[in-house]
Amino acid sequence: MDLKILSLATDKTTDKLQEFLQTLKTDDLTDLLQSQAVKGRAVGAFLRAIFKGSPCSEEDGALRRSQVYSCCIQLIESGELQQEVASAIIGLLMLEVHHLPGPWLVELASEFVSAIREDRLVNGKSLELLPVILTALATKKEVLTCGKGDLNGEEYKRQLIDSLCSVRWAQRYVIQLTSMFKDVHLTTEEMDLVVAKVLAMFPKLNLQEIPPLVYQLLVLSSKGSRRRVLHGIIAFFSELDKQHSEEQSGDELSELVAAPADELYHVEGTIILHIVFAIKLDCELGRELLKHVKAGQQGDSSKSLYPFSIALLLSLTRMQRFEEQVFDLLKTSVVKSFKDLQLLQGSRFLQTLVPQRTCVSSMILEVVKNSVHSWDHVTQGLIELGFILMDSYGPKKTLDGKAVETGSSLSKMTNQHACKLGANILLETFKIHEMIRQEILEQVLNRVVTRTSSPINHFLDLLSDIVTYAPLILQSCSKVTETFDCLSFLPLQTVQGLLKAVQPLLKVSMSVRDSLILVLRKAMFASQLEARKSAVAGFLLLLKNFKVLGSLSSSQCSQSIGVTQVQVDVHSRYNAVANETFCLEIIDSLRRCLGQQADVRLLLYEGFYDVLRRNSQLASSIMQTLFSQLKLFYEPEPDLLPPLKLGACVLTQGSQIFLQEPLDHLLSCVHHCLAWYKNRVIPLQQGDEGEEEEGLCRELDDMLESITVRMIKSELEDFELDKSADFSQSTSVGIKNHICACLIMGVCEVLIEYNFSISNFSKSKFEEILSLFMCYKKFSDILNEKAGKGKTKMTSRTNDSLLSMKFVSDLLTALFRDSIQSHEESLSVLRSSNEFMHYAVNVALQKVQQLIRRGHVSGPDGQNPDRIFQNLCDITRVLLWRYTSIPTSVEESGRKEKGKSISLLCLEGLQKTFSAVQQFYQPRIQQFLRALDVTSTEEEGEEAGVTVTQRATFQIRQFQRSLLNLLSSEEEDFNSKEALLLIAILSTLSRLLEPSSAQFMQMLSWTSKICKEYSLEDASFCKSLMSLFFSLHVLHKSPVTLLRDLSQDIHGQLGDIDQDIEIEKTNHFAVVNLRTAAPTVCLLVLSQAEKVLEEVDWLIAKIKGSVNQETLSAEVTPEAASSQAVPSSPLMEKAIIMQLGTLVTFFHELVQTALPSGSCVDTLLKDLSKIYSTLTAFVKYCLQVCQSSRGIPNTVEKLVKLSGSHLTPLCYSFISYVQNKRNNNPKRTEKEKAAAGTIMAKVLRETKPIPNLVFAIEQYEKFLIHLSKKSKVNLMQHMKLSTSRDFKIKGNILDMVLREDEEDESEEGSVLGLFEARSNISSLNPFKLQVYVK
């Protein structure tokens, strides 16, 4: 039978074939077809024969074709056919689809929909036929009858796709069904339906099935709906990331979410690759991705950026077209995130409205962590982002060797956080990915070497962290040794930082160390001074960190090592001996430096003590070197005065005078090394060697003793210096005398410390110390006197005091706290000198200032953070005891000397130490406060339970008592300086209080009470007190009501702009009086109002962003958007309206106040412009909301009414008041006439805020009109609009001014044109705008 069909098909006519096929029953034909297909023989020819004999023009033929299609589809789905046979059948069926009539196409398509709905498909191979059927159906123009009415082919195709997307898809056919749609022409609506259906299937699939589905979806997106596809993919994986990060588990999570994190991150990596590949083929997809992320950022960036989306963006940076845009986007997101965080932390008002969200920075670091899962396409972007953040937000300037930030405190903190994030990204990437370590290291070192003019501390810190993490890995890196070649050309500070950073590497790599030594030896003989200083610094660092056999261990040393690097000490005998030889060679090289310039010698003297402490075996060599050097400048004759050759310390080259030998620093180095040597090394020495060492110590002690005695005996004339000597900086003699005087002062300070250290509280020694101080004071007084007379102030010597911080701490403790009976008599010698005690406190103050300015102090242990902290604790404890025991009022009553009292100096010292500890030792605040509590008898366990807030409160109460005593005294006894210092200390300590604690509330209520009850006319005290009050209040709640009360007080004190109106004075705050109301309090409240407006602007931007996101979600996923709500928006709207309403009443008071001309008026005009800009922004938001079904908030009308009645009319009156006040100035003096140009410029500058304010008001009214139309609420009934504005030149005034100028015969002719702005505003006076034309 099959052969007959095939033979008949070869005839030229089909009549016989048709007749034969008509005689066959349907079952026979299908059996025959099935038999042919299973055998796989000539099934294609057989099918063609059937189709040839079944013309669609005849009903039987069309029916037969339809039956063949149904049979073939069942055969293909049965799985019994060979793959080649099945493919051949489908190919033939596809070719013949377009010949089928519309009704049969509808029937076939419906069969497919039923099969999908009922899950009757076995292998889904037949689905390849469906797109051809749908395409053919769309071409049918005739009307097709179906259950719901008559539809044409296109409409029926739309209905079929709708049905297809509404039925349940079997999990195993999702990918095939998605792939099928790419071959169908889809309208936008159909495309949206399909994409929504596929995205809805994501949660139902196994994790491994999602990447191929995403690939098919991306291919499909080329037809449209790109943003919807990207939004769906990103939203799905962002939610998975979120759930994994929250570590949720249990019933609420699907199996998909419960999958291991590793599997999820591998899948995400694959999908990111798919998306990036799709973007390479379709750039529009990339643009849509950027639009999607930017749109999400308008609201809360943490909602639009998740680890997945960040990784996707970073992968996109590999495409040059998108690189710059992506990095700008990520930079903006990071900075915005940090700014938002700072703003939230500083405002309790915002904290109550906006929940704390995950920072973008933590998500980026999460991407770094996840990139270990084969995310190679992300790592390059991470490296670039890290360096971009460090380059863009690192410190920009240096001050006194220390990097400083510029700009406001908010931007400073933001920049620091962004820079730190960049460093963390690079460090974590370095740790995870071995392949890119070389690149990161090279880029860091390149920046260290090339950026000599800008601060690179952040790069050095990163380098230090990298080397500390992997010193063994980096020993084969050639870039480090290449960098060493540039040391001679780098600034000293950079060299020191670089060598400290690579120190762990030097300990494990002999080759790197040898390379460095070679470079340093060359630099030692370089012609440039900086290169030689770098060589000395490098050698000293090597000496500190290469331990010699037999040296005391760190635990035996009294001080810990100052460098916080990894210690890699090698304990084998071979290495220790090699180290000793190596170190002695270095010392031999350094001895040659003692013949070089003073700067080089100074470095050496400052470094020897740390070397000695680290390597006690080198002590003998170092002590001999110092002894030999000191002998060069020591007069051995016991009766010869002075005892030192000061002339040899100064070098004369032609007309120029230089310091050749920093003798005071040499003597200081000798003293500190000798003290450590006697305490630590001599007791361990034995035999002849010990006797030798003791002999050297005795000789040095004798020299220092002799110098002490002879320095005391020496008069000014012995030094060839007296009060009549020349100390000016313009003559060579004056410069030489100044250098010698400074050396003598330094020597006296070193001898004071030396004699105190060996005194054992001997009265005679303390008398010598006092005599040395008097010698020091003579020269100090002369230099200060000469500096006062000179045109330029000479550098103060006291800033570089040679007293060590440890000695200052011990001295203050002895002077103020030592109550041991046996010490009483000797200490009374020092205590009897008020000048000496004053000097001791002053030096302590300068040491703390030095720490704040540079981050370290001069002298031994000056760069050891632990030692500095301990000394700070001791100094603070003594100063606190001294101030609280002897108040300033008691001390001042009996004082006759000029200058600050000791108590006041102690208070200043306390203020600086509290600030320094908060700046440098924030994690150790608890330990610091515990050290101050000298009366504490708590056990260790009890101490651990006492919080920082409780300890800080104890200290705060002491200073509160002091301030109350000061405020309770007579007004003439009020010490403004002390009050300011007390407020500064209270401000610093209040930052340690937990804002939610009862202690914080007590502090706030106490400050409020002081402001309300005490009236002082001291403007600076008022400013400090009010600043403290505001800083506390914003952490409790918004200060708007406070601002309103203060504005009423200011209005009452200064009076009204209309002099006929009498104002009833309010007395909310006594601190506001006639002297302090303006400009002090006025500028403060305006500054606070600006901050409130900034917060309100931020909130408006946030809720506008939320509305935008809602709109975007509605466009992309309408069904999801309908289920989402933003419950916080009404709450925020209410808060914004309350804030703006109260601020309107605040400005309502101030614009009626007779403020003095100047900064108050200018600032008020600017702030009025700002509140109108904020009101305009809120009206624009209402316009946005009005388009949705929510409508405008009910309270908006009240706010508009308030602004229209209480603010706008008064603003115009205030402008008139300001103009009239400026016009009524008295006539210009001759000097003012000569400076007419300057005055004109000033007046122009002063009048600029007025047109800005008028423009801001008109913009507000313009958008109110729009809102009235949109909302169908007449908001303009509360506003009194200006209907016209024109200008005229007053000719008579112009002529008068011209005549005046001619009479003056001024060289700078200027014409004063007075323009009057006339406004047709009912019930308002016209206001004037002055325009000066040159």
Side-chain angles (χ1 to χ4, degrees):
M1 199 180 293
D2 53 342
L3 293 174
K4 185 171 183 180
I5 292 171
L6 288 171
S7 66
L8 288 172
T10 57
D11 293 347
K12 288 183 181 179
T13 60
T14 59
D15 296 341
K16 291 181 180 179
L17 179 60
Q18 286 180 42
E19 287 172 13
F20 182 74
L21 288 174
Q22 282 174 3
T23 61
L24 288 176
K25 292 180 182 178
T26 305
D27 292 343
D28 294 340
L29 187 62
T30 53
D31 290 343
L32 202 58
L33 182 59
Q34 186 172 352
S35 170
Q36 286 286 328
V38 171
K39 291 176 185 175
R41 292 201 304 260
V43 69
F46 185 69
L47 268 177
R48 276 192 290 272
I50 293 173
F51 288 143
K52 189 175 180 182
S54 308
C56 292
S57 54
E58 295 178 9
E59 190 176 340
D60 289 345
L63 178 61
R64 194 178 304 115
R65 281 187 179 235
S66 174
Q67 290 167 348
V68 167
Y69 267 85
S70 298
C71 178
C72 287
I73 289 168
Q74 288 171 12
L75 278 171
I76 291 165
E77 284 300 321
S78 68
E80 296 174 4
L81 303 185
Q82 296 175 17
Q83 194 167 351
E84 297 83 4
V85 174
S87 298
I89 292 172
I90 286 176
L92 276 170
L93 294 180
M94 283 179 178
L95 289 172
E96 296 296 329
V97 162
H98 290 279
H99 301 301
L100 284 172
W104 297 114
L105 286 172
V106 169
E107 189 179 328
L108 276 173
S110 301
E111 275 187 35
F112 270 108
V113 173
S114 299
I116 292 166
R117 182 191 297 114
E118 295 163 14
D119 195 12
R120 285 190 275 110
L121 298 175
V122 179
N123 57 23
K125 180 77 174 169
S126 62
L127 285 174
E128 293 176 28
L129 195 58
L130 184 56
V132 186
I133 294 171
L134 291 173
T135 305
L137 189 59
T139 61
K140 303 298 179 184
K141 303 298 180 189
E142 72 267 22
V143 174
L144 304 170
T145 305
C146 65
K148 294 183 181 178
D150 296 337
L151 305 171
N152 63 26
E154 183 66 42
E155 290 168 343
Y156 203 87
K157 184 197 86 170
R158 167 79 172 84
Q159 192 184 81
L160 280 168
I161 289 174
D162 197 357
S163 302
L164 199 56
C165 292
S166 61
V167 302
R168 189 177 67 83
W169 291 3
Q171 188 175 321
R172 60 188 183 279
Y173 298 128
V174 174
I175 295 166
Q176 285 168 289
L177 284 165
T178 308
S179 174
M180 174 205 77
F181 281 109
K182 72 176 184 287
D183 298 321
V184 182
H185 175 72
L186 299 172
T187 63
T188 307
E189 293 81 8
E190 291 166 353
M191 187 70 192
D192 289 345
L193 272 173
V194 172
V195 169
K197 177 63 180 178
V198 176
L199 290 174
M201 292 302 297
F202 273 26
K204 299 171 185 175
L205 298 177
N206 293 324
L207 209 50
Q208 296 298 336
E209 291 177 315
I210 293 180
L213 178 58
V214 166
Y215 177 79
Q216 295 299 336
L217 198 54
L218 290 167
V219 173
L220 185 61
S221 71
S222 61
K223 292 176 174 288
S225 292
R226 292 178 180 86
R227 185 179 290 195
R228 183 181 280 246
V229 168
L230 288 169
H231 178 271
I233 295 169
I234 291 170
F236 176 72
F237 283 100
S238 297
E239 185 61 28
L240 286 188
D241 283 343
K242 184 180 172 185
Q243 290 176 347
H244 267 289
S245 65
E246 291 170 357
E247 297 181 349
Q248 291 180 350
S249 58
D251 298 334
E252 55 191 315
L253 292 185
S254 65
E255 289 180 16
L256 175 61
V257 179
D262 288 2
E263 186 185 358
L264 172 63
Y265 298 138
H266 277 295
V267 166
E268 285 183 346
T270 309
I271 283 165
I272 289 170
L273 280 175
H274 283 330
I275 296 174
V276 172
F277 179 70
I279 290 172
K280 283 179 182 176
L281 299 176
D282 180 11
C283 290
E284 190 59 38
L285 196 63
R287 283 190 279 273
E288 286 295 339
L289 173 62
L290 290 177
K291 281 182 195 172
H292 166 74
V293 178
K294 284 177 184 174
Q297 277 195 312
Q298 289 177 5
D300 189 347
S301 57
S302 64
K303 285 183 180 178
S304 62
L305 285 177
Y306 282 94
F308 177 79
S309 51
I310 293 170
L312 178 55
L313 287 170
L314 287 169
S315 300
L316 206 59
T317 58
R318 298 171 76 183
M319 298 169 65
Q320 194 175 358
R321 168 193 309 246
F322 298 110
E323 183 180 10
E324 191 177 340
Q325 295 177 63
V326 170
F327 283 131
D328 285 345
L329 184 64
L330 288 172
K331 262 173 64 178
T332 308
S333 301
V334 167
V335 172
K336 184 174 180 287
S337 176
F338 282 129
K339 278 184 180 173
D340 291 354
L341 204 60
Q342 291 289 317
L343 207 60
L344 274 169
Q345 287 172 350
S347 169
R348 181 67 186 159
F349 164 69
L350 291 179
Q351 288 168 17
T352 55
L353 290 169
V354 183
Q356 199 92 3
R357 292 200 167 272
T358 311
C359 187
V360 171
S361 60
S362 59
M363 293 183 189
I364 294 176
L365 291 174
E366 186 72 24
V367 172
V368 178
K369 194 173 82 174
N370 296 348
S371 67
V372 74
H373 303 286
S374 307
W375 288 14
D376 298 334
H377 44 284
V378 174
T379 50
Q380 195 60 42
L382 282 169
I383 295 170
E384 288 182 49
L385 177 63
F387 280 114
I388 285 170
L389 290 174
M390 291 189 78
D391 292 337
S392 303
Y393 302 110
K396 297 291 183 278
K397 294 183 179 178
T398 53
L399 178 68
D400 203 9
K402 186 183 172 189
V404 293
E405 297 280 357
T406 54
S408 68
S409 58
L410 182 65
S411 63
K412 276 186 209 171
M413 291 296 289
T414 301
N415 289 354
Q416 286 170 8
H417 287 314
C419 180
K420 184 65 181 168
L421 172 63
N424 287 340
I425 290 169
L426 291 170
L427 179 61
E428 294 305 315
T429 308
F430 181 90
K431 289 178 180 178
I432 291 172
H433 299 282
E434 290 184 24
M435 297 298 290
I436 45 81
R437 284 177 179 172
Q438 183 82 7
E439 183 186 347
I440 292 175
L441 189 65
E442 282 187 13
Q443 289 206 44
V444 171
L445 289 171
N446 285 341
R447 283 164 171 78
V448 168
V449 171
T450 55
R451 301 193 178 180
T452 52
S453 58
S454 57
I456 53 164
N457 297 350
H458 48 309
F459 287 112
L460 290 173
D461 292 341
L462 173 60
L463 179 62
S464 175
D465 291 337
I466 285 172
V467 175
T468 302
Y469 174 74
L472 291 168
I473 296 169
L474 297 178
Q475 61 182 324
S476 58
C477 179
S478 60
K479 187 65 184 178
V480 178
T481 51
E482 285 173 27
T483 307
F484 289 158
D485 294 335
C486 306
L487 287 184
S488 303
F489 310 104
L490 297 177
L492 176 62
Q493 195 181 359
T494 301
V495 172
Q496 288 175 320
L498 176 62
L499 294 182
K500 266 187 185 178
V502 300
Q503 175 198 319
L505 181 57
L506 300 176
K507 290 183 174 181
V508 296
S509 174
M510 192 74 84
S511 60
V512 175
R513 190 176 78 180
D514 291 344
S515 302
L516 175 61
I517 291 167
L518 197 62
V519 169
L520 293 177
R521 279 180 176 156
K522 285 180 185 175
M524 188 75 83
F525 300 100
S527 56
Q528 301 91 353
L529 175 62
E530 283 295 310
R532 297 200 297 278
K533 286 166 72 175
S534 296
V536 171
F539 278 136
L540 285 171
L541 194 77
L542 288 171
L543 286 176
K544 288 176 200 173
N545 294 291
F546 284 92
K547 197 170 179 183
V548 178
L549 182 69
S551 293
L552 297 174
S553 65
S554 298
S555 60
Q556 288 175 279
C557 298
S558 57
Q559 297 96 349
S560 60
I561 304 306
V563 184
T564 58
Q565 305 287 349
V566 175
Q567 302 292 331
V568 193
D569 289 330
V570 183
H571 296 290
S572 70
R573 184 172 183 80
Y574 170 77
N575 280 325
V577 172
N579 280 350
E580 182 171 13
T581 309
F582 162 70
C583 291
L584 290 173
E585 278 180 23
I586 292 176
I587 288 179
D588 193 43
S589 298
L590 290 175
R591 281 199 188 101
R592 297 170 196 163
C593 298
L594 295 173
Q596 295 190 11
Q597 286 94 331
D599 285 353
V600 180
R601 300 184 193 192
L602 194 61
L603 272 175
L604 208 53
Y605 299 150
E606 287 176 348
F608 267 155
Y609 175 73
D610 280 338
V611 172
L612 188 71
R613 188 165 47 83
R614 173 66 177 145
N615 260 326
S616 57
Q617 284 295 89
L618 302 175
S620 178
S621 182
I622 290 172
M623 295 305 295
Q624 284 290 350
T625 303
L626 291 172
F627 178 62
S628 305
Q629 188 70 5
L630 183 58
K631 280 171 70 177
L632 296 175
F633 303 95
Y634 174 70
E635 294 284 5
E637 291 294 323
D639 299 326
L640 198 60
L641 299 178
L644 298 166
K645 300 172 186 176
L646 292 176
C649 298
V650 182
L651 176 68
T652 306
Q653 287 183 348
S655 61
Q656 291 185 307
I657 306 293
F658 300 101
L659 174 65
Q660 176 72 10
E661 175 63 50
L663 186 59
D664 47 357
H665 284 83
L666 169 61
L667 209 59
S668 175
C669 182
V670 169
H671 155 57
H672 290 297
C673 290
L674 180 62
W676 193 88
Y677 193 61
K678 286 195 293 187
N679 290 336
R680 296 286 164 188
V681 179
I682 296 292
L684 303 175
Q685 298 286 2
Q686 296 175 354
D688 296 340
E689 189 183 347
E691 288 178 15
E692 268 182 51
E693 307 295 350
E694 285 182 23
L696 177 63
C697 288
R698 274 196 300 274
E699 279 192 70
L700 281 168
D701 273 327
D702 292 342
M703 284 172 77
L704 291 170
E705 188 65 37
S706 174
I707 293 169
T708 300
V709 173
R710 286 189 278 167
M711 283 294 286
I712 293 167
K713 289 180 183 176
S714 299
E715 299 292 332
L716 290 174
E717 291 74 17
D718 295 322
F719 298 106
E720 299 179 9
L721 300 169
D722 56 31
K723 290 188 177 180
S724 60
D726 179 14
F727 286 93
S728 71
Q729 298 289 288
S730 55
T731 64
S732 56
V733 175
I735 293 170
K736 182 179 179 181
N737 289 344
H738 187 268
I739 290 171
C740 289
C742 288
L743 284 176
I744 293 163
M745 288 166 66
V747 167
C748 287
E749 283 191 315
V750 174
L751 293 173
I752 287 170
E753 183 168 346
Y754 168 74
N755 282 284
F756 187 89
S757 67
I758 63 166
S759 67
N760 198 19
F761 291 90
S762 157
K763 186 177 180 181
S764 60
K765 277 292 173 193
F766 281 7
E767 287 168 349
E768 287 180 1
I769 288 171
L770 203 56
S771 302
L772 285 167
F773 169 69
M774 296 316 293
C775 177
Y776 168 89
K777 191 172 181 304
K778 281 180 203 170
F779 286 98
S780 175
D781 290 344
I782 291 171
L783 289 182
N784 288 335
E785 185 184 334
K786 297 289 182 181
K789 290 178 181 177
K791 288 182 182 176
T792 56
K793 189 101 172 168
M794 284 186 270
T795 307
S796 174
R797 172 73 208 172
T798 50
N799 281 339
D800 299 313
S801 172
L802 287 176
L803 299 182
S804 67
M805 199 170 183
K806 176 73 171 70
F807 167 68
V808 173
S809 164
D810 293 343
L811 179 62
L812 288 176
T813 306
L815 288 173
F816 299 134
R817 294 284 286 148
D818 195 327
S819 56
I820 299 172
Q821 192 66 37
S822 58
H823 298 170
E824 193 70 33
E825 186 182 356
S826 53
L827 283 171
S828 63
V829 174
L830 298 180
R831 288 170 179 168
S832 64
S833 170
N834 210 44
E835 289 176 334
F836 181 75
M837 293 200 292
H838 199 279
Y839 159 77
V841 178
N842 236 330
V843 173
L845 196 59
Q846 287 147 16
K847 288 287 179 186
V848 181
Q849 281 175 323
Q850 200 177 65
L851 173 65
I852 293 169
R853 196 171 64 250
R854 299 179 188 171
H856 59 85
V857 295
S858 57
D861 293 319
Q863 298 201 7
N864 183 335
D866 294 333
R867 273 288 156 195
I868 293 173
F869 177 73
Q870 190 55 53
N871 292 331
L872 269 179
C873 291
D874 296 341
I875 288 171
T876 310
R877 187 167 56 243
V878 176
L879 295 181
L880 184 60
W881 184 89
R882 174 64 172 76
Y883 175 73
T884 50
S885 302
I886 307 173
T888 312
S889 54
V890 175
E891 193 177 346
E892 295 271 347
S893 59
R895 277 182 82 240
K896 294 178 182 177
E897 305 92 343
K898 291 181 180 178
K900 295 176 183 175
S901 65
I902 292 175
S903 286
L904 197 59
L905 274 177
C906 288
L907 190 62
E908 192 175 336
L910 286 169
Q911 186 262 321
K912 293 195 180 301
T913 52
F914 284 133
S915 297
V917 170
Q918 277 205 26
Q919 185 177 345
F920 296 104
Y921 299 100
Q922 187 69 36
R924 300 172 73 173
I925 290 281
Q926 174 83 293
Q927 188 182 342
F928 172 74
L929 292 174
R930 192 166 64 238
L932 298 189
D933 192 2
V934 290
T935 59
S936 176
T937 56
E938 298 168 344
E939 297 294 325
E940 193 173 331
E942 291 176 9
E943 283 190 3
V946 182
T947 63
V948 169
T949 295
Q950 290 168 325
R951 292 191 187 281
T953 304
F954 177 76
Q955 301 300 336
I956 284 170
R957 282 177 185 152
Q958 296 189 73
F959 294 109
Q960 284 176 335
R961 282 195 292 272
S962 300
L963 185 59
L964 281 173
N965 292 337
L966 195 60
L967 292 170
S968 304
S969 61
E970 296 295 325
E971 195 161 334
E972 58 271 14
D973 296 333
F974 180 73
N975 189 330
S976 178
K977 289 179 182 176
E978 184 180 3
L980 287 173
L981 288 169
L982 284 167
I983 293 291
I985 289 171
L986 287 169
S987 296
T988 306
L989 288 173
S990 67
R991 291 188 208 116
L992 303 177
L993 301 177
E994 181 60 42
S996 58
S997 65
Q999 291 90 339
F1000 180 87
M1001 291 306 301
Q1002 286 168 3
M1003 177 72 185
L1004 176 59
S1005 57
W1006 180 86
T1007 312
S1008 175
K1009 186 180 176 186
I1010 296 290
C1011 293
K1012 287 176 179 177
E1013 294 180 4
Y1014 290 91
S1015 176
L1016 289 168
E1017 295 188 347
D1018 189 302
S1020 54
F1021 171 73
C1022 173
K1023 183 178 180 181
S1024 297
L1025 181 62
M1026 291 301 294
S1027 297
L1028 170 62
F1029 185 31
F1030 279 126
S1031 69
L1032 294 170
H1033 200 282
V1034 293
L1035 294 174
H1036 171 55
K1037 64 177 181 179
S1038 177
V1040 281
T1041 51
L1042 187 63
L1043 292 175
R1044 184 188 59 204
D1045 293 346
L1046 283 164
S1047 66
Q1048 290 170 0
D1049 289 350
I1050 294 168
H1051 191 186
Q1053 291 293 338
L1054 298 179
D1056 199 89
I1057 55 176
D1058 187 346
Q1059 295 175 357
D1060 299 334
I1061 296 175
E1062 275 193 33
I1063 301 296
E1064 184 183 343
K1065 288 188 178 181
T1066 57
N1067 194 20
H1068 296 108
F1069 293 93
V1071 76
V1072 182
N1073 52 50
L1074 201 57
R1075 287 288 299 276
T1076 60
T1080 308
V1081 178
C1082 182
L1083 289 176
L1084 264 176
V1085 293
L1086 286 171
S1087 169
Q1088 283 299 319
E1090 280 181 36
K1091 289 178 183 174
V1092 174
L1093 283 171
E1094 185 186 347
E1095 290 175 3
V1096 173
D1097 281 334
W1098 185 81
L1099 271 180
I1100 292 170
K1102 202 162 191 64
I1103 56 175
K1104 277 178 82 173
S1106 296
V1107 172
N1108 288 337
Q1109 282 182 339
E1110 278 184 68
T1111 310
L1112 181 67
S1113 296
E1115 290 172 3
V1116 176
T1117 49
E1119 63 286 342
S1122 61
S1123 64
Q1124 290 177 356
V1126 187
S1128 59
S1129 282
L1131 194 65
M1132 287 189 192
E1133 287 166 4
K1134 185 180 177 183
I1136 288 167
I1137 291 167
M1138 288 293 291
Q1139 295 290 92
L1140 288 173
T1142 316
L1143 280 178
V1144 166
T1145 59
F1146 161 75
F1147 282 113
H1148 165 76
E1149 292 290 340
L1150 286 186
V1151 290
Q1152 296 179 85
T1153 306
L1155 294 171
S1157 296
S1159 56
C1160 287
V1161 169
D1162 292 346
T1163 309
L1164 177 56
L1165 287 169
K1166 287 173 188 171
D1167 286 355
L1168 284 167
S1169 299
K1170 283 181 183 173
I1171 192 173
Y1172 275 108
S1173 299
T1174 305
L1175 284 166
T1176 306
F1178 187 60
V1179 170
K1180 286 179 181 177
Y1181 162 74
C1182 292
L1183 272 168
Q1184 227 179 337
V1185 169
C1186 205
Q1187 294 169 0
S1188 68
S1189 57
R1190 285 168 59 196
I1192 62 170
N1194 299 327
T1195 43
V1196 168
E1197 192 175 353
K1198 292 179 183 176
L1199 176 64
V1200 172
K1201 184 177 180 180
L1202 190 67
S1203 65
S1205 60
H1206 278 59
L1207 193 57
T1208 306
L1210 296 174
C1211 284
Y1212 288 125
S1213 301
F1214 185 70
I1215 290 170
S1216 300
Y1217 162 77
V1218 172
Q1219 293 291 326
N1220 292 333
K1221 197 163 185 178
R1222 285 173 182 162
N1223 290 339
N1224 295 334
N1225 282 342
K1227 286 198 172 182
R1228 292 177 290 173
T1229 62
E1230 290 300 319
K1231 283 185 180 179
E1232 286 173 331
K1233 287 175 184 175
T1238 311
I1239 293 168
M1240 296 263 180
K1242 184 182 176 185
V1243 173
L1244 273 173
R1245 189 171 64 249
E1246 286 176 349
T1247 53
K1248 193 176 178 182
I1250 294 174
N1252 288 347
L1253 173 57
V1254 174
F1255 176 73
I1257 293 171
E1258 291 181 346
Q1259 283 293 103
Y1260 173 51
E1261 291 169 350
K1262 172 187 165 184
F1263 283 100
L1264 273 180
I1265 293 169
H1266 290 324
L1267 184 59
S1268 296
K1269 290 176 181 175
K1270 283 270 185 189
S1271 64
K1272 307 290 189 280
V1273 177
N1274 185 13
L1275 299 171
M1276 294 308 296
Q1277 64 181 325
H1278 312 298
M1279 310 298 293
K1280 295 176 180 176
L1281 270 180
S1282 54
T1283 54
S1284 68
R1285 191 184 307 286
D1286 60 357
F1287 301 90
K1288 72 174 182 180
I1289 298 173
K1290 289 189 174 179
N1292 56 342
I1293 295 177
L1294 186 62
D1295 291 339
M1296 183 181 72
V1297 173
L1298 286 168
R1299 280 199 301 275
E1300 216 177 78
D1301 282 352
E1302 284 170 10
E1303 288 168 11
D1304 293 342
E1305 296 180 351
S1306 174
E1307 290 182 9
E1308 289 188 32
S1310 59
V1311 182
L1312 175 62
L1314 183 65
F1315 294 82
E1316 182 181 356
R1318 298 182 304 171
S1319 303
N1320 183 16
I1321 307 174
S1322 57
S1323 78
L1324 291 179
N1325 296 323
F1327 66 88
K1328 298 172 184 177
L1329 294 173
Q1330 291 179 339
V1331 182
Y1332 294 83
V1333 184
K1334 223 174 179 183

